[in-house]
């Protein structure tokens, strides 16, 4: 069993020992928010059709998620789950995604993740990936 707890948010990322180890694939089986945490939904972030290849677009999308989490009062370590939409998904793109996710979440287990293969995103055939996220931020302390 592997488990990590973010000290700032209390988010628990967990991989039970009676399930296969997903760490090499850069995802986890479950995430548990602590009582009182505030939920944050980050809309799908693309790498932008003009931002380069799949690897470049993936890095830009993950960076945008980090920026959104900061705007909500948290950080990337509060991300509990991502959903990744990939145009023409294949093993090479999966390897690139794994590398990018491990680079972003290097200090903890990767979030829960779902990959959705698609033929095209939006109306621009140059857009190769879109990533949406669900995360938490610590409860705001009341001002007294």
């Amino acid at each position: 069993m592997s488990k990590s707890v973010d000290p700032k948010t209390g988010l628990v990322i967990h991989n039970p020992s009676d399930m296969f180890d997903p760490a090499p694939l850069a995802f986890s089986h479950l995430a548990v928010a602590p009582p009182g945490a505030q939920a944050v939904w980050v809309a799908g972030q693309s790498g932008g059709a003009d931002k380069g290849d799949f690897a470049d677009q993936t890095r830009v999308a993950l960076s945008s998620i980090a920026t959104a989490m900061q705007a909500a009062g948290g950080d990337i370590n509060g991300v509990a789950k991502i959903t990744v939409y990939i145009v023409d998904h294949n093993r090479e793109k999966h390897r690139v995604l794994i590398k990018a996710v491990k680079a972003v979440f290097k200090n903890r287990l990767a979030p829960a993740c779902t990959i959705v293969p698609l033929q095209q995103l939006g109306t621009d055939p140059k857009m190769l990936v879109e990533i949406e996220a669900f995360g938490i931020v610590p409860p705001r302390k009341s001002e007294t």
Side-chain angles (χ1 to χ4, degrees):
M1 170 173 59
S2 57
K3 183 186 281 191
S4 69
V5 180
D6 182 66
K8 183 177 174 185
T9 63
L11 177 67
V12 177
I13 303 292
H14 185 63
N15 292 312
S17 58
D18 56 345
M19 298 175 80
F20 83 93
D21 180 12
L25 299 174
F27 80 94
S28 294
H29 288 296
L30 61 114
V32 181
Q38 293 182 313
V40 177
W41 286 267
V42 180
Q45 301 299 305
S46 72
D50 60 341
K51 301 294 185 200
D53 65 7
F54 179 79
D56 294 333
Q57 290 187 29
T58 300
R59 283 190 293 275
V60 170
L62 289 168
S63 177
S64 295
I65 289 169
T67 299
M69 290 298 295
Q70 289 171 347
D75 61 37
I76 195 71
N77 288 320
V79 172
K81 182 182 186 304
I82 58 175
T83 302
V84 185
Y85 301 92
I86 301 175
V87 173
D88 297 327
H89 180 55
N90 58 41
R91 288 181 187 219
E92 180 54 34
K93 286 181 179 175
H94 200 163
R95 281 190 284 274
V96 168
L97 176 65
I98 289 168
K99 183 178 177 181
V101 168
K102 285 182 176 183
V104 169
F105 296 99
K106 58 184 166 243
N107 294 323
R108 57 157 261 203
L109 293 173
C113 178
T114 300
I115 295 174
V116 181
L118 302 168
Q119 290 182 356
Q120 184 173 320
L121 283 163
T123 59
D124 192 331
K126 294 180 185 174
M127 192 179 346
L128 304 175
V129 64
E130 183 174 339
I131 304 172
E132 65 183 20
F134 170 77
I136 64 166
V137 296
R140 293 199 173 106
K141 295 181 179 161
S142 61
E143 296 180 29
T144 55

